Amino acid sequence: MAIAFPPTSRYALTPTGTFVRADGTPVTYLKRRFVPAPEKFALLQWHRVVQGERLDNIAAHYLGDPEQFWRLCDANRALRPDELTETIGRKLAITLPEGIPGVPRA
């Protein structure tokens, strides 16, 4: 049984594996997803965190979808989403998706 994720999911391209239980029942699972290096993202602009901001709202504003908050995590090397908005004044990189090149000096 394949695990299907929508194309906008952080797991869309994550490979799966199959574990076979002692009774012969196969269990499909996601293999480990490695967070890409921030250098793989083309910077669009910076966002400075203000008091009371939430990551889902920042994602909705810049990316058009609050569920894309994980893209901000990847681009800013955050394993825990809340760390991106904990520090007032922190600069967050707003980027294109991984692998999509930007236009130099646009």
Side-chain angles (χ1 to χ4, degrees):
M1 173 180 156
I3 300 173
F5 290 95
T8 56
S9 169
R10 77 179 89 186
Y11 302 111
L13 300 176
T14 304
T16 60
T18 302
F19 171 77
V20 180
R21 294 181 176 168
D23 67 0
T25 305
V27 177
T28 303
Y29 63 93
L30 283 174
K31 292 190 175 182
R32 185 173 178 186
R33 176 184 179 268
F34 291 94
V35 178
E39 298 77 32
K40 292 188 174 192
F41 300 94
L43 180 68
L44 291 174
Q45 69 185 82
W46 293 99
H47 171 81
R48 194 166 300 274
V49 175
V50 297
Q51 179 72 37
E53 272 193 304
R54 293 190 350 220
L55 195 56
D56 60 333
N57 290 335
I58 297 169
H61 177 78
Y62 290 105
L63 307 176
D65 182 353
E67 292 182 2
Q68 295 297 297
F69 71 90
W70 63 270
R71 284 182 40 204
L72 298 174
C73 292
D74 284 359
N76 291 278
R77 260 199 185 111
L79 295 178
R80 193 174 50 80
D82 289 344
E83 73 184 80
L84 293 179
T85 55
E86 285 175 343
T87 304
I88 306 309
R90 178 178 178 162
K91 283 174 47 176
L92 300 181
I94 308 299
T95 67
L96 290 171
E98 178 187 11
I100 296 179
V103 178
R105 302 185 205 333

